[in-house]
Amino acid sequence: MIVLKDITKKYDNGFEALKNISLHCNEGEITALIGPSGCGKTTLMKLINRLNNPTSGSVFIKGKDISEIDPVELRRSIGYVIQQIGLFPHMNIAKNVGTVPKLLKWDKERIGKRVDELLNLVSLDPETYRNRLPSELSGGQQQRVGVIRALAADPSVILMDEPFSALDPISREQLQEELVRLQREIKKTIVFVTHDMDEALKIADKIVLMKSGEIVQHGTPEEILRHPANEFVEDFIGQKRLKRYQGIPPVSQVMVERPITVTPNRGLAESMRIMEDKKVDSIIVVDEKNHLLGYVTVFDIVKAYQNEDTKIKDIMHSFNTTVNPDTPLTEAIQLMNKLQVPYLPVLNEKGLLEGLLTRGSIVGYVGSEYHSIKEGVV
Amino acid sequence: MQDYGYLSVFYERMPDLLGKLSEHIFLSGISVLLGCLVAIPLGVLLIKTHIRWMKSLTFNITNIFQTIPSIALLAMIATVLGFGTETAVMALFLYSLMPILKNTYAGFDSIDPQIIQSAEGMGYSPMQRLVQIEIPLALPYIMSGIRLTTVYIVSWAVLAGLIGGGGLGELILAALSLNDKPLIIASSVMAMILALVADFILGKLEKAFTKSSNTEAQKI
Ligand SMILES: Nc1ncnc2c1ncn2[C@@H]1O[C@H](COP(=O)(O)OP(=O)(O)OP(=O)(O)O)[C@@H](O)[C@H]1O
Ligand SMILES: [Mg+2]
């Protein structure tokens, strides 16, 4: 979606702010740029809407070299949230939010409707806030307006430069959650600058770690936490966070590896016997190749037992939720709690059943850990 | 009885007073108007230019006009343009440049660069940015510059009488030579009241402008 190719950026005073940067941001993902102050995050971001032009190299959006697009046109097609919000103090909230649609010459009615829709999206009542000036809003409300202003003309690319940095921790967390929720609906390609690792971990699909004008590591939050490229990355993540994430085993370490399964064409009596044998109250249904199909409980079997022609496939239920082997255990446990399910199937990337995370397996794991800790102390 | 005499001058010389008053208003008005027409665009130009010496040169030149004693400036211009209204307007115009220019510049300078950057990043063209963002934000400064300038151009304009430029100054000079105390006082009071009224009206206008850039925004 957004591709930066061999970019260098030298400012007029000779300072080389970006050195040989190549980067790819996927469509519909949030890419977080993170790094210490002055490492070139803002500089890099401004290349994408041509507030900066690269000294060498090129930027492509949807395959098009943006140096060939008129910068004013380009900017109207990209949402932009500036580092310090930058609401226009002399315009009310409605006008602020409607800025880009107005530049794009939408008619008034359409702008008004869009503005109300966006205000509702971030829980600001249009009746109350439409006519207020930015100075009559709290910091958090202003930041919300800053964010929806960038969404107004429904751009497919949005740039956000530390949009939540000026907030207290509680409102910041709220807005982060709102953004994550919003993104699930709107699926934009977002480049998000931050210097807060927790923020990046929370919202990003990909994290780009930068240091003095260079990219140090680019990967999913999981990859960066599990395999920090070097000491700089480790320091930046922080030992505490590393421990917290790395100390937690993936589901694959905890799950039952050979769960009890049947194939869909088995009869009920036969299945019942397997369950009896293994002392389980439900059984996983997979096809011959081990693709997950669903599950059947002992109660389902009892209910349908009279009819001899009934097969497992006629009474099975499918799973709504599965986890993959790399999912951290904590996340899986939270999921089980939330969904109130006794177990979760673990599927690999090919959709094949790898194992089953059950309450029993969790207890077993925790027990063994506890044991080894005690032994360590003695 | 004598007190009453001082007041009766307003009644007796009303046509003269009103005639000179309107001349005075015209003199000051046209000078400030010309000042605005030159100084405001100049201020915008200066804020946009990256050439340093142009800024300091312009400010120095307008500053110089400010430091020349008014009578000397009038005399100097009179040697070129001769006596009359043109000379008076020219001098007052030169005086008005500096304060209007300074305030215009300060108004644009006061705009948070983040706001300008934000406008640029959202896709305002330079002209749209100037008209829709920068001028409205600088307007309160510009207006208060115009107000202050007008008030003291009204009092400087009294000196126009010296070079036959018309206005209440002429009446004061005439009264001085005749030692007509009531008339001296009456015409001075007129000039004072004019300054106060101008200040009041422009003050209202200034408020209305600052507000309108908000209420105008509320129309959507
Ligand atoms: N217009 C400019 N001219 C010269 N140098 C600049 C300019 N803008 C930025 N720089 C320099 O380029 C470097 C990168 O700046 P940039 O604003 O991209 O940093 P950043 O990573 O966004 O930092 P922060 O987290 O503080 O916002 C800094 O050292 C800065 O001093
Ligand atoms: Mg920055």
Side-chain angles (χ1 to χ4, degrees):
Chain A
M1 185 69 176
I2 304 173
V3 178
L4 281 75
K5 221 171 140 198
D6 307 323
I7 297 277
T8 57
K9 171 70 191 175
K10 229 186 202 143
Y11 278 113
D12 293 339
N13 62 5
F15 181 79
E16 200 173 17
L18 295 175
K19 299 161 198 160
N20 201 19
I21 297 258
S22 290
L23 179 65
H24 191 110
C25 303
N26 292 331
E27 180 153 11
E29 284 190 353
I30 300 183
T31 303
L33 303 178
I34 187 167
S37 189
C39 69
K41 306 181 292 292
T42 300
T43 305
L44 194 159
M45 170 169 273
K46 284 184 186 167
L47 290 171
I48 301 172
N49 64 2
R50 293 195 62 190
L51 284 176
N52 268 339
N53 288 311
T55 311
S56 69
S58 356
V59 181
F60 300 87
I61 297 181
K62 293 180 190 153
K64 209 166 168 203
D65 187 339
I66 62 168
S67 66
E68 287 158 14
I69 307 176
D70 172 48
V72 170
E73 291 300 314
L74 176 75
R75 288 172 198 148
R76 289 178 187 174
S77 71
I78 296 179
Y80 184 44
V81 186
I82 195 173
Q83 197 156 354
Q84 297 299 335
I85 318 177
L87 294 184
F88 304 131
H90 62 300
M91 293 184 186
N92 65 11
I93 299 308
K95 273 223 163 173
N96 263 290
V97 175
T99 296
V100 180
K102 190 172 169 224
L103 289 171
L104 293 172
K105 301 202 165 57
W106 289 17
D107 62 62
K108 269 198 171 158
E109 209 172 307
R110 185 168 167 216
I111 298 179
K113 255 173 74 182
R114 179 68 177 151
V115 167
D116 288 359
E117 186 184 313
L118 287 165
L119 285 170
N120 280 323
L121 200 62
V122 289
S123 332
L124 291 172
D125 174 35
E127 289 301 321
T128 315
Y129 293 101
R130 205 189 285 132
N131 293 324
R132 290 213 193 162
L133 289 175
S135 58
E136 297 163 344
L137 262 59
S138 76
Q141 291 169 335
Q142 289 182 30
Q143 299 253 3
R144 284 186 174 84
V145 174
V147 171
I148 57 172
R149 182 171 69 166
L151 299 176
D154 207 20
S156 49
V157 175
I158 300 172
L159 311 176
M160 301 185 170
D161 197 347
E162 306 199 21
F164 309 144
S165 58
L167 289 177
D168 61 282
I170 294 175
S171 339
R172 186 186 318 176
E173 231 164 87
Q174 244 174 21
L175 275 178
Q176 289 163 353
E177 273 155 27
E178 245 166 75
L179 179 67
V180 171
R181 177 177 62 75
L182 212 64
Q183 169 68 354
R184 269 202 294 266
E185 286 172 35
I186 58 181
K187 286 276 169 234
K188 303 290 185 187
T189 307
I190 299 178
V191 180
F192 189 105
V193 169
T194 176
H195 53 235
D196 176 355
M197 195 60 177
D198 286 316
E199 183 165 271
L201 290 172
K202 189 162 189 176
I203 62 163
D205 298 297
K206 298 281 161 58
I207 294 178
V208 177
L209 250 132
M210 293 179 62
K211 184 192 173 188
S212 30
E214 289 172 300
I215 292 179
V216 184
Q217 193 172 5
H218 178 190
T220 62
E222 192 69 21
E223 281 163 1
I224 287 185
L225 285 168
R226 283 183 188 281
H227 312 288
N230 56 28
E231 219 167 293
F232 169 77
V233 180
E234 276 178 26
D235 285 347
F236 205 83
I237 300 170
Q239 286 309 319
K240 222 168 87 192
R241 241 184 250 109
L242 274 178
K243 277 238 176 62
R244 203 163 76 216
Y245 284 89
Q246 293 184 341
I248 291 165
V251 163
S252 59
Q253 264 183 46
V254 184
M255 67 189 183
V256 179
E257 287 190 13
R258 259 180 299 277
I260 320 300
T261 59
V262 286
T263 47
N265 289 320
R266 290 293 177 96
L268 297 189
E270 205 182 345
S271 309
M272 187 63 136
R273 208 189 45 79
I274 300 175
M275 291 169 77
E276 231 172 47
D277 210 36
K278 306 287 182 189
K279 300 204 176 3
V280 292
D281 62 359
S282 66
I283 193 162
I284 309 293
V285 187
V286 294
D287 66 10
E288 290 72 20
K289 298 208 174 73
N290 214 24
H291 286 108
L292 181 73
L293 296 176
Y295 68 95
V296 166
T297 69
V298 68
F299 304 109
D300 300 326
I301 294 181
V302 170
K303 251 197 302 194
Y305 204 76
Q306 299 305 331
N307 188 346
E308 287 187 16
D309 293 337
T310 308
K311 297 265 165 38
I312 284 291
K313 68 177 175 200
D314 301 322
I315 58 169
M316 74 177 182
H317 311 278
S318 54
F319 284 101
N320 292 323
T321 311
T322 62
V323 291
N324 59 51
D326 288 335
T327 308
L329 181 60
T330 43
E331 212 174 279
I333 293 177
Q334 275 169 10
L335 212 57
M336 288 171 72
N337 272 333
K338 208 171 84 192
L339 302 171
Q340 285 294 321
V341 294
Y343 54 82
L344 282 173
V346 182
L347 299 190
N348 65 16
E349 63 273 22
K350 293 194 196 96
L352 301 179
L353 183 70
E354 290 260 302
L356 199 63
L357 185 70
T358 65
R359 291 195 173 149
S361 66
I362 295 169
V363 172
Y365 175 82
V366 173
S368 69
E369 280 293 289
Y370 184 68
H371 210 69
S372 62
I373 292 170
K374 266 184 107 175
E375 275 169 8
V377 171
V378 173
Chain B
M1 197 61 214
Q2 203 169 12
D3 281 352
Y4 200 72
Y6 268 89
L7 281 180
S8 65
V9 68
F10 280 104
Y11 174 72
E12 284 158 14
R13 305 295 298 269
M14 193 48 100
D16 276 344
L17 281 168
L18 283 185
K20 290 298 166 191
L21 178 69
S22 60
E23 270 179 35
H24 205 97
I25 293 174
F26 171 78
L27 261 183
S28 326
I30 208 95
S31 313
V32 174
L33 192 69
L34 286 174
C36 288
L37 287 180
V38 173
I40 296 175
L42 194 61
V44 175
L45 222 65
L46 286 186
I47 208 82
K48 296 285 173 196
T49 181
H50 295 292
I51 312 168
R52 281 258 190 80
W53 60 262
M54 229 171 84
K55 280 183 209 180
S56 48
L57 185 73
T58 317
F59 275 113
N60 280 327
I61 291 176
T62 47
N63 243 334
I64 287 173
F65 291 136
Q66 220 65 30
T67 54
I68 303 175
S70 37
I71 296 186
L73 184 65
L74 278 174
M76 269 156 54
I77 296 171
T79 57
V80 183
L81 293 179
F83 281 55
T85 313
E86 292 88 349
T87 305
V89 169
M90 187 64 176
L92 293 174
F93 156 72
L94 289 177
Y95 271 120
S96 71
L97 283 180
M98 182 62 187
I100 299 178
L101 180 69
K102 232 179 183 163
N103 270 51
T104 304
Y105 190 88
F108 281 91
D109 205 35
S110 74
I111 303 173
D112 185 349
Q114 296 275 359
I115 286 171
I116 294 183
Q117 176 123 115
S118 151
E120 198 181 356
M122 299 184 74
Y124 278 87
S125 71
M127 200 58 192
Q128 286 171 323
R129 214 174 67 211
L130 182 70
V131 173
Q132 295 176 34
I133 307 289
E134 294 171 73
I135 290 180
L137 288 176
L139 204 59
Y141 282 76
I142 300 175
M143 283 305 297
S144 86
I146 294 175
R147 181 170 57 88
L148 289 172
T149 309
T150 308
V151 169
Y152 86 92
I153 288 295
V154 166
S155 52
W156 287 120
V158 170
L159 289 175
L162 284 176
I163 48 146
L168 289 165
E170 238 171 41
L171 212 53
I172 295 176
L173 284 176
L176 262 178
S177 61
L178 297 172
N179 201 17
D180 182 347
K181 278 184 200 153
L183 187 58
I184 294 175
I185 291 173
S187 32
S188 311
V189 166
M190 280 291 224
M192 262 168 59
I193 292 176
L194 180 60
L196 287 174
V197 168
D199 186 45
F200 178 77
I201 292 175
L202 287 171
K204 284 274 176 215
L205 212 61
E206 190 181 325
K207 271 218 185 87
F209 262 115
T210 348
K211 256 214 200 114
S212 86
S213 57
N214 294 340
T215 43
E216 198 257 334
Q218 287 181 5
K219 276 194 300 213
I220 254 205

